[in-house]
């Protein structure tokens, strides 16, 4: 095929390689300095036949108070391996309005084709931005946003949210308690209960960016609402999050869906099959978090055994075949006290022979504000 | 100033978190500075029902001319996610002999239990280190190495290799042509042919560390020998290889085995089901490389289509669900010319509508010294 | 389960540390996941009493065809350690004009205070965007941009550039030859010569982003124009450049200035004391590149000597005390053939005893399109 | 010089570059996969005319209980930018003695020439390894170690240490309190006081690897002993320390010496001009730590001022021009509460106008077990 001394393809050398830098028409291309461009695959196995879709339904652009043109959000979503995203501009808040058109549909429209081409599901959304309390609500799967209520006087709070309900949107309450020391801002007010009863409130942001709103998890569990995690990104994802660490991703919602379609996502959201994921932290209903854990982590059969001072110890490999991160702490049985499972890695676990099982708290996985997921390994 | 057990001291936070640094008995633990310890999982899917085992059957310790105690090799293998390893000390060469015992079994013995505990398969091996030509041979699955021939005069070359054959070892010729400008050093000598006929030569190192011995690939293909890749590591893996790049691993042999056992590895080696893997480079028999590629890379159904100037273009996502790396270059059809598939990532591929298929050379995957793997995607 | 304010949850430790995650008012702060925020210091020593200022005078925002709000450019400049920056929106090109105000002063105005607070010198600029040829010109140190010529018919090319000259701007020709195959686009046209004679052209972009326009270097040298390097960034710096590699920065101009002030920068630009810097590549007038090299790289006195086969070899440490990168290749004398000097590092250099000096080409530093900087070390 | 289309020198591309991979004599060189090899320069400015030398005087090899051949220690020292190192094998403890020669001078001898060639100062040392208490002592600047006392019965403790004193060694007590719960193991015993009085004890390891022995700092301050920091490395530095984080280095002693010579190091150790450095932590006598801090960190003159609600705030840039890491916490005055100074970076500091100064605790720099360095910035 080739008889030449030099062939195509290569990379960095610590010593001097003969490397070719292309000069075309008197311009030398320095493309070697570019960041490689690709779509990362976030590796999470199927959970009981459901695909685990990576979704961020709370983001902003210059069309409300974000700092980027919509294309950057599309680009970030593609590169970071998101399956679905929504741009959720504030209806009531437009600090750039002297320079940028106020149009509640615009940012979505501008990246519709780009998102389709990129195979990222773009879900139409908005942020209904009321005074606190009750605060902000995201509505996704909305229709035309042009007639939503811009005036954020409290008299219109109900009507404002109802605009979304009328469009059959999926509506969730954002970052409860985000502003400290405002009376009623972190309470389950009658307004919320009324929304819920009218089928105009379906979920709560349990984790918003770098804030884990712990009470919200309990409300979701107790009132049958869907657990949401979002980035609420205004700046760049790569600026806010330390993406140089393998386990750090933007905060998002893991949605266990039958298919990778908007309809399946909606079905899963309505059914509450979600876990909020903030890099090292997971929060969700016990069943969902447990199923997710069990899909990712396996204890292999014991591969080695040794006896010391009359006590026999069996050794196991515990594998985390996902890009999630887990910390385990022994709660019953005699075995390794603490285990950190980094993404796509395994650890050794040892257990005294003769036991049926070991139980661990997964101390980075919350199923209530005051309760970790507890799992048991059969030995 | 402080009498508390926990004191303030930040880790990774850009602002100050209240983080606790443990002080125990007057000693503050700075374990936050340690490198996380875990066993990496190298992600390669099953290939037609075979597990793809990551094996390095050529390594050295202080017991020949390596620079580390055997435990370091066991530790590296565990951390880097190897399934199997052999320590292959030189029989005939012991530069440290004034300070370190000369014992051909010792380094293996010293880490047998550690390797079992770590769930790494330790295969007993040695390097029969003859003058060039014919040069060096590795023998693995050997028995007692104490009676191997230390004298490396050429008269004893045949007997030296036969010691391994008598133990029913798997024997491969190392780095052919490694010393330039020695007559006969990079040729298929009668000595080699004779060994092969006597069933005393089963494979060749096609890639040794950073050297891809291209002629060896052709010999393997033409003579039915097994393709091997090894690190031949003497220094530290982390010193020689730029492990900060996601796709860089030590050079190794990918063995397609029925089970993760020594017996299955031997069966696969005997059957020639291997691919030599050097981070960005793959070399092997066409069938093996093709099966491996097909297990890792999938072209999804077209998700988008657009028309421009009367030409319809379909868009596809091409996914690499492995930790391997591939570069594709179009050889027939109208579509994306060049695609780099980084580990665990995908790219967009576009193709003119109305075609049945596209063909690509995988320009980092060699099936002969002068031939890339060529693959075809049905559209 | 827990009522304490501090809970256990490990960060980087491989074993479990007692680390505290702050929970305040029922919200757990996950700030450990944030990217650390600081202003990087790019380390380049003074050059003959001049400070080496890091400047990027070609950038875009949503106010022309960029993809970010101006604040992002200010943020990037601060974090990346730039001393000075200009936003240079196109006068004649506004693809976002249906959604964003067309105002040639606006983006600059919006970050004036922020830049002052950040101690980044914001130089007012614009891009005069004519058809090719002659193509685009950047003007910096401009006044009010509201009356510049938006109509880019060629009849108005002269007047368009003269608007800047009237404001006593520093004017440089952008990326000559950037569009291939346009007649006259990569030639020194009379139009350019006329501008130069009228003192309306002071420099040329020798490196624009990832394109090194090699002819432009010769023109600068031959015609006494200032060598410029710029990013011409439209997307995110962190998206386009592979900042994970220590030596990769955005392309910029190194300005050797008496002080860190706009006035000193202007004086240095007028005097031509610049080097274009594209991560691994340097381009500039020989005197400037040589002075820069000599300020960064030192050969220490020989620290060791050894004799072998009657030949005495002296060993030296060669230090690069800068964040620049250099590659050296021996051109005369007997010594180490090739040396790579990574940022803030040293290498060993050996030389046969009895020589007065060694000469090297600095093969990443261009002083003409076809000439590397050549330096000599006294032994 | 060149007329070819391809020129030498280059690197990674995200798209396909024509890159040349050298094939020589039928062997393709994959050196692009190698880790770049260079000597890192740890950047710490001179302190009042003294050079700050990076020294590790406590390391092990296979000649006691370490896991590497001595060359690896020489290699690590060179790459990590150490100025001086000692191999300090245990006199009394040789777990590899069945396989490796017991010779107290050997490991040092084996790398003497290599260290000279590498320009790393190799100081001869040993570890006198007595039962706890009193425990272990390192002696450096020793002579022949062949006659040291191997029998570690307590009756010979005094004589064992005196062997080193007779050779005029610099002697320091290692990791006091390292074994918890042994009576007298973390106390200033008469044995130690007697050694000190006989000029046979000159320093204490305040930080050993990942253990900060806080009481030892007080003893150094109160009794006029020299503060030492060491790695006590047995495994690989790159295995134990998370070197992927910019501020993580092995634990070492910063020695403020007049020159980069063994004699100057000895003079500085005798004079107590040291700071123990463990990546993010510093410990030393107040004068030394303060001088070091002041050499690294500068508050620039205020560059910006703004008034809000009748309060004028001045902004300053605070620069850390070193590879050290500092955390500051305000102790008096009105200004920024907390500042993290990463290596080679700066931050903004704001202060209410009209004040003379601000004071900060440097909360990662200990001058006693219960006292941080406190510094004051004039405004």
């Amino acid at each position: 095929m080739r008889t030449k001394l030099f062939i195509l393809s290569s990379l960095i050398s610590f010593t001097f390689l003969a490397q070719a830098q292309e000069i075309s028409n008197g311009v030398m291309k320095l493309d070697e300095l570019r960041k490689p461009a690709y779509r990362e695959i976030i590796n999470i196995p199927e959970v009981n036949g459901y695909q685990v879709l990576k979704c961020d339904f709370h983001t902003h652009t210059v069309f409300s108070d974000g700092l980027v043109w919509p294309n950057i959000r599309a680009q970030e979503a593609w590169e970071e391996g998101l399956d679905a995203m929504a741009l959720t501009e504030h209806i009531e808040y437009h600090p750039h309005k002297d320079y940028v058109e106020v149009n509640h549909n615009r940012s979505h429209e501008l990246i519709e084709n780009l998102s389709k081409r990129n195979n990222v599901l773009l879900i139409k959304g908005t942020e209904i931005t009321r005074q606190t309390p009750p605060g902000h609500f995201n509505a996704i799967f909305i229709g035309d946003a042009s007639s939503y209520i811009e005036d954020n006087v409290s008299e219109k709070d109900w009507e404002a949210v109802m605009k979304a309900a009328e469009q059959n949107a999926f509506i969730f309450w954002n970052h409860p308690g985000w502003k400290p020391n405002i009376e009623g801002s972190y309470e389950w007010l009658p307004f919320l209960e009324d929304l819920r009863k009218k089928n105009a409130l379906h979920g709560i942001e349990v984790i918003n960016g770098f804030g884990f709103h712990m009470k919200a998890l309990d409300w979701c569990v107790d009132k049958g609402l869907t657990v949401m995690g979002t980035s609420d990104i205004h700046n760049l994802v790569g600026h806010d999050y330390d993406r140089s660490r393998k386990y750090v991703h933007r905060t998002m919602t893991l949605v266990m869906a039958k298919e990778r379609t908007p309809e399946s996502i909606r079905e899963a959201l309505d059914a509450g099959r979600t876990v909020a994921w903030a890099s090292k932290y997971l929060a969700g209903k016990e069943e969902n978090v447990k199923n997710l854990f069990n899909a990712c982590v396996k204890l292999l059969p014991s591969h080695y055994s040794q006896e010391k001072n009359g006590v026999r110890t069996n050794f196991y490999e515990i594998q985390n075949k996902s890009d999630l991160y887990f910390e385990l702490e022994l709660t019953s049985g005699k075995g390794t006290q603490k285990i950190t499972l980094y993404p796509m890695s395994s650890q050794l676990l040892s257990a005294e022979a003769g036991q049926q099982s070991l139980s661990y708290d997964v101390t980075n996985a919350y199923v209530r504000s005051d309760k970790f997921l507890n799992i048991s390994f059969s030995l």
Side-chain angles (χ1 to χ4, degrees), chain A:
Chain A
M1 180 191 58
R2 281 159 305 111
T3 57
K4 291 171 289 176
L5 197 65
F6 293 96
I7 62 151
L8 296 177
S9 110
S10 134
L11 274 218
I12 293 181
S13 63
F14 84 120
T15 177
F16 278 71
L17 289 178
Q19 286 174 330
Q21 189 63 27
E22 194 188 3
I23 301 177
S24 169
N25 293 317
V27 181
M28 192 196 290
K29 305 279 190 181
L30 311 180
D31 289 327
E32 52 170 300
L33 305 170
R34 287 185 189 268
K35 186 173 175 185
Y38 55 83
R39 176 162 164 77
E40 176 187 347
I41 295 174
I42 299 176
N43 194 26
I44 304 179
E46 286 197 356
V47 174
N48 298 340
Y50 293 113
Q51 294 186 48
V52 180
L53 303 182
K54 298 92 193 176
C55 306
D56 184 7
F57 296 129
H58 193 167
T59 72
H60 295 274
T61 78
V62 297
F63 284 89
S64 59
D65 57 347
L67 294 175
V68 299
W69 196 248
N71 293 44
I72 294 289
R73 293 287 172 245
Q75 172 180 284
E76 291 173 331
W78 186 76
E79 292 181 351
E80 295 171 24
L82 293 193
D83 292 291
M85 173 182 68
L87 300 179
T88 52
E89 314 295 0
H90 300 288
I91 292 289
E92 300 86 343
Y93 181 57
H94 290 84
H96 304 150
K97 65 176 179 294
D98 292 346
Y99 324 114
V100 179
E101 177 199 27
V102 175
N103 180 325
H104 305 316
N105 295 307
R106 185 67 74 208
S107 59
H108 181 90
E109 283 170 22
L110 285 171
I111 60 167
E112 268 192 299
N113 277 331
L114 176 57
S115 297
K116 278 180 191 157
R117 213 194 58 147
N118 283 350
N119 203 15
V120 173
L121 306 172
L122 184 69
I123 308 300
K124 193 162 182 185
T126 194
E127 183 165 13
I128 300 162
T129 312
R130 316 308 297 174
Q131 305 283 354
T132 299
H136 307 179
F137 296 84
N138 262 19
I140 56 176
F141 295 95
I142 65 169
D144 180 6
S146 61
S147 62
Y148 276 54
I149 312 290
E150 293 191 5
D151 183 356
N152 74 351
V153 294
S154 58
E155 291 74 25
K156 297 196 178 172
D157 286 350
W158 183 262
E159 188 187 353
V161 180
M162 280 300 152
K163 283 280 175 189
E166 287 159 19
Q167 294 181 343
N168 192 30
F170 180 87
I171 303 169
F172 53 97
W173 186 28
N174 291 344
H175 44 67
W178 69 299
K179 282 192 183 172
N181 308 321
I182 296 183
E183 195 176 311
S185 72
Y186 203 7
E187 288 171 32
W188 188 254
L189 298 176
F191 181 86
L192 298 158
E193 183 62 20
D194 292 347
L195 285 178
R196 192 181 69 89
K197 285 180 179 157
K198 292 285 187 190
N199 193 28
L201 183 62
H202 312 99
I204 317 181
E205 270 187 356
V206 171
I207 313 185
N208 172 292
F210 304 101
F212 176 6
H213 301 264
M214 305 186 85
K215 283 192 197 179
L217 178 55
D218 296 335
W219 289 328
C220 284
V221 171
D222 295 337
K223 298 171 199 304
L225 295 166
T226 298
V227 172
M228 304 298 289
T230 72
S231 70
D232 196 1
I233 190 77
H234 288 71
N235 204 306
L236 317 174
V237 173
H239 175 268
D240 287 5
Y241 291 82
D242 186 0
R243 298 272 296 147
S244 73
R245 282 183 280 161
K246 199 181 168 190
Y247 57 80
V248 175
H249 304 258
R250 72 164 84 182
T251 300
M252 63 181 88
T253 307
L254 299 177
V255 176
M256 289 168 259
K258 288 170 193 159
E259 297 183 315
R260 191 181 184 277
T261 61
E263 296 71 28
S264 266
I265 290 174
R266 179 61 191 263
E267 185 277 333
L269 291 177
D270 288 340
R273 285 198 310 278
T274 64
V275 173
W277 179 34
S279 299
K280 292 176 65 184
Y281 298 88
L282 294 165
K285 293 172 190 164
E286 184 160 12
E287 181 189 7
N288 292 322
V289 181
K290 179 168 274 183
N291 289 343
L292 181 62
F293 179 89
N294 286 333
C296 297
V297 177
K298 305 289 180 209
L299 190 74
L300 304 189
S302 177
H303 60 271
Y304 185 62
S305 181
Q306 72 183 24
E307 198 162 327
K308 206 174 159 180
N309 306 327
V311 178
R312 176 152 295 277
T313 302
N314 294 325
F315 288 81
Y316 304 79
E317 190 168 340
I318 178 169
Q319 292 190 324
N320 172 22
K321 284 200 153 177
S322 78
D323 284 334
L324 301 179
Y325 167 103
F326 300 102
E327 290 177 358
L328 310 185
E329 205 170 325
L330 189 68
T331 54
S332 79
K334 293 181 182 173
T336 304
Q337 287 292 319
K338 291 176 175 189
I339 299 168
T340 301
L341 290 168
Y342 293 90
M344 290 302 289
S345 74
S346 65
Q347 297 283 11
L348 290 183
L349 180 155
S350 62
E352 203 176 301
Q355 304 175 89
Q356 296 299 311
S357 67
L358 292 180
S359 294
Y360 285 89
D361 266 351
V362 184
T363 57
N364 66 316
Y366 290 80
V367 297
R368 291 194 70 95
S369 66
D370 59 356
K371 188 177 170 196
F372 295 130
L373 174 67
N374 189 274
I375 48 95
S376 181
F377 295 113
S378 298
L379 299 179

